[in-house]
Amino acid sequence: MSTAIYFSPEGGRLLGKNQDVPYQGAYLFTNKRGVAKSALVQPPELPAKWISRYGSLTVSQVGKEMPNGGINETGLVVEQTTLWQSAYTDNDRLPAIGELQWIQLILDTCATVKEAEQVACGVRIAQPMSRLHYMVGDRSGDCAIFEFLGGVMCVFRGNSLPVSIMANTPYSQAIKDLEDKEERWRNVYNDYDGNSMDRFVKGVARLAAVIPDSERERLQFARETLQFVRREDTAYSLIYDLEQKQLHFATSIYPDLKTVRMSEVDFSSDAVPLALNLQQPAVSYMNYNADLNRRVAESFFREPVLTKAFGWSITDDMIDFIASFPDRFPKAADV
C-alpha cells in the first residue's frame, strides 16, 4: 500500500513516504553519475538505454537499480505507491523499462518535474512485477503525480494537483471522493480501498494545516503527519529534504529518526558504490557488491507473504541475474 506526501512551505521542501508492506528488509544504495545503463527487460522488448547525469541515493527492498524511491544531486525526489488499476501503454515503438527502474531513470537523468515528464514520454513500462503510480517533486516547489490508466500516462500537476498526496487510489477518483461530503464512498469501498481513502483524507487534513517556519519544526510536522497516516504494517518512513539534500528515515524496528546527507557521498564515476542497511541502530555504510545484492533480492523474492500476494515465480537464475545486473553497467567513457 503506502502513502506519499509533498510538503512545500515557504523556505522548505519535504517529501514524506510511508512504505506499508509486511516485509522489513530495506537498503539504501549510492548510484554514480557517468554510468551507461540499460533496462532489465526480457526479449523481444527493446530495452531503454541512458547515461546517468546525476548521482543519487535510492532506497530499495529489491536490490540496487530497482529502487522504491530516492533523491538525486539536484534535489529531485521520486517515490511510488501501489496502484493496482495501472495499465501501461502497449506502444512497442517506445523502448521498454520496468516499473522500478523507471524511478532510477528519472533520478539519473532529470533535475526538474518538467524534465521528468519529458523523459517519461519517451519510454514505456513493460513486464511489471507490480502496479505503481509515482510522485515526483523538485526544489522549485513543483510536484506531479504520474499514473498509467487504460494505456495512457496521466500527469497531475499544477491546477490538476490540488493536494500533493498519493495513497492507493487513482488520483482523480480520490479527489472526487474527497469532495463527497456525505462520505458515501465508505458504503461502497472494500477494506483495501477504504483504507487508502482514509489515509488520503487524513493527509489532506494535515496539508491544510499551517506548516511551521523553522527547519526543525517542519521536519517534526512531516514526521507527525507520517505517523498520522501510518498503518500497522508500515515497515519504514522516509522524509526527503529537497533543499538540504538529505534523507531522514526511521523503521518499525528502529524508530529513532536517522539522517544521511548527499554532501557526504562521492557520486563520481570512479567512486566505490556503497550500501546501508536501514534496519540497524546507526548509520553505517558498507561497500556494495553483487553478493550483498543477491542476499537483498533473494530475501525479498523468497518472502512467502509477498510471493503469495504478487503471484511471483522467480527462479534462482533470475535472482542471480537481478543481483549481478548493476555490475554489467560500464562507465560512459568506456562505451
Side-chain angles (χ1 to χ4, degrees):
M1 297 188 82
S2 304
T3 311
I5 308 176
Y6 182 60
F7 306 88
S8 184
E10 289 297 324
R13 310 278 188 251
L14 301 174
L15 196 154
K17 162 73 179 297
N18 280 343
Q19 180 76 357
D20 304 332
V21 62
Y23 176 74
Q24 300 294 336
Y27 277 76
L28 181 146
F29 296 101
T30 65
N31 306 280
K32 302 183 290 185
R33 68 180 84 93
V35 178
K37 299 185 180 183
S38 61
L40 178 56
V41 291
Q42 298 180 36
E45 300 289 2
L46 176 67
K49 297 181 182 295
W50 68 96
I51 294 174
S52 57
R53 296 174 57 196
Y54 307 109
S56 63
L57 295 176
T58 52
V59 176
S60 179
Q61 295 185 297
V62 180
K64 187 174 174 64
E65 298 293 333
M66 304 291 174
N68 295 93
I71 181 172
N72 72 13
E73 291 179 283
T74 73
L76 185 81
V77 171
V78 185
E79 266 295 348
Q80 53 74 32
T81 68
T82 300
L83 185 67
W84 290 113
Q85 295 92 330
S86 298
Y88 308 103
T89 179
D90 58 1
N91 180 0
D92 58 9
R93 290 174 295 179
L94 294 174
I97 193 167
E99 79 280 12
L100 294 181
Q101 254 192 314
W102 188 96
I103 297 172
Q104 192 67 61
L105 168 66
I106 300 301
L107 291 172
D108 284 344
T109 60
C110 302
T112 65
V113 171
K114 182 178 180 180
E115 289 181 359
E117 185 172 353
Q118 293 169 344
V119 169
C121 288
V123 296
R124 65 185 179 92
I125 293 174
Q127 303 171 353
M129 292 185 293
S130 183
R131 305 282 170 165
L132 308 174
H133 56 171
Y134 307 91
M135 177 177 285
V136 182
D138 65 31
R139 296 180 72 198
S140 74
D142 199 0
C143 180
I145 290 175
F146 292 72
E147 291 184 348
F148 301 84
L149 301 171
V152 177
M153 185 175 75
C154 308
V155 181
F156 301 93
R157 182 182 173 211
N159 292 335
S160 66
L161 189 78
V163 287
S164 50
I165 177 170
M166 183 175 74
N168 307 102
T169 308
Y171 187 76
S172 58
Q173 183 66 48
I175 293 300
K176 178 181 177 182
D177 291 342
L178 182 69
E179 296 171 350
D180 180 7
K181 304 303 182 183
E182 297 179 3
E183 298 182 340
R184 291 188 298 265
W185 58 265
R186 293 185 184 272
N187 298 320
V188 298
Y189 274 15
N190 59 29
D191 290 343
Y192 182 97
D193 294 328
N195 181 269
S196 171
M197 276 306 303
D198 181 57
R199 286 178 283 116
F200 188 89
V201 171
K202 286 180 177 179
V204 169
R206 290 289 292 179
L207 286 175
V210 177
I211 301 177
D213 291 331
S214 75
E215 181 179 336
R216 181 183 63 82
E217 290 176 327
R218 283 197 301 270
L219 179 61
Q220 182 61 28
F221 181 86
R223 190 175 190 194
E224 290 173 353
T225 300
L226 292 179
Q227 288 289 334
F228 190 50
V229 300
R230 79 184 307 276
R231 288 169 40 93
E232 291 184 359
D233 62 355
T234 299
Y236 60 80
S237 299
L238 308 171
I239 303 174
Y240 300 91
D241 187 328
L242 285 69
E243 292 286 342
Q244 302 298 322
K245 300 178 186 177
Q246 299 175 350
L247 172 58
H248 310 280
F249 67 92
T251 72
S252 58
I253 298 175
Y254 296 104
D256 291 340
L257 202 65
K258 304 172 187 66
T259 302
V260 292
R261 298 172 176 83
M262 302 200 74
S263 60
E264 298 174 355
V265 177
D266 182 0
F267 294 108
S268 67
S269 61
D270 294 321
V272 175
L274 303 175
L276 187 155
N277 186 351
L278 268 60
Q279 298 290 8
Q280 58 184 356
V283 173
S284 178
Y285 287 101
M286 66 188 84
N287 288 347
Y288 165 85
N289 58 53
D291 289 339
L292 167 64
N293 208 32
R294 194 191 195 286
R295 292 195 298 272
V296 175
E298 184 175 39
S299 179
F300 182 81
F301 287 116
R302 293 290 181 259
E303 167 57 43
V305 174
L306 297 179
T307 299
K308 180 179 180 180
F310 289 94
W312 291 322
S313 179
I314 308 295
T315 66
D316 288 343
D317 287 343
M318 292 171 68
I319 291 177
D320 286 338
F321 191 84
I322 291 171
S324 62
F325 187 67
D327 293 341
R328 302 167 188 262
F329 297 153
K331 290 194 296 184
D334 296 332
V335 176

